[in-house]
Amino acid sequence: MANIIIPTPLRKFTNNQASVESNGSTVQQSVEDLAKQFPDLNKHIFDGEGKIRQFIRIYVGDEDINALENENTKVDSSSVISIIPAIAGGIQ
């Protein structure tokens, strides 16, 4: 059971919880379990094919899963998963 850190913009979909425990042995399974617990997160995290959206970065500890095994990165009860949505905007 990994602990998933919920970014501030998505907390409104998790009853304002900053972190949620999630079941799964991989990042994909853990994030799917998170979305099962809070169905309103689905459209914000997954695309139409059920894949994690490209503009979302996910870290296990301090490591970007893209440098590990992507969504297949193994997690365990001591893992901390962070979801980092891309931020765009600014003034030129």
Side-chain angles (χ1 to χ4, degrees):
M1 184 172 279
N3 189 32
I4 299 180
I5 306 299
I6 309 298
T8 302
L10 296 180
R11 289 181 188 167
K12 60 187 167 191
F13 304 110
T14 61
N15 300 325
N16 292 315
Q17 294 182 65
S19 67
V20 175
E21 291 189 351
S22 182
N23 291 311
S25 59
T26 65
V27 167
Q28 180 78 29
Q29 291 172 350
S30 297
V31 175
E32 286 175 352
D33 185 64
L34 172 69
K36 183 186 282 184
Q37 293 180 57
F38 302 98
D40 289 341
L41 280 175
N42 267 318
K43 64 184 176 191
H44 300 285
I45 295 178
F46 296 106
D47 64 17
E49 298 176 2
K51 295 181 179 180
I52 296 172
R53 293 185 179 276
Q54 290 185 334
F55 61 82
I56 291 179
R57 291 282 195 221
I58 296 185
Y59 290 78
V60 175
D62 293 334
E63 295 287 328
D64 186 333
I65 63 168
N66 290 328
L68 301 170
E69 296 178 51
N70 297 306
E71 293 87 356
N72 296 319
T73 300
K74 302 281 187 218
V75 296
D76 60 29
S77 61
S78 65
S79 299
V80 177
I81 300 171
S82 300
I83 299 173
I84 312 293
I87 297 173
I91 299 173
Q92 292 186 0

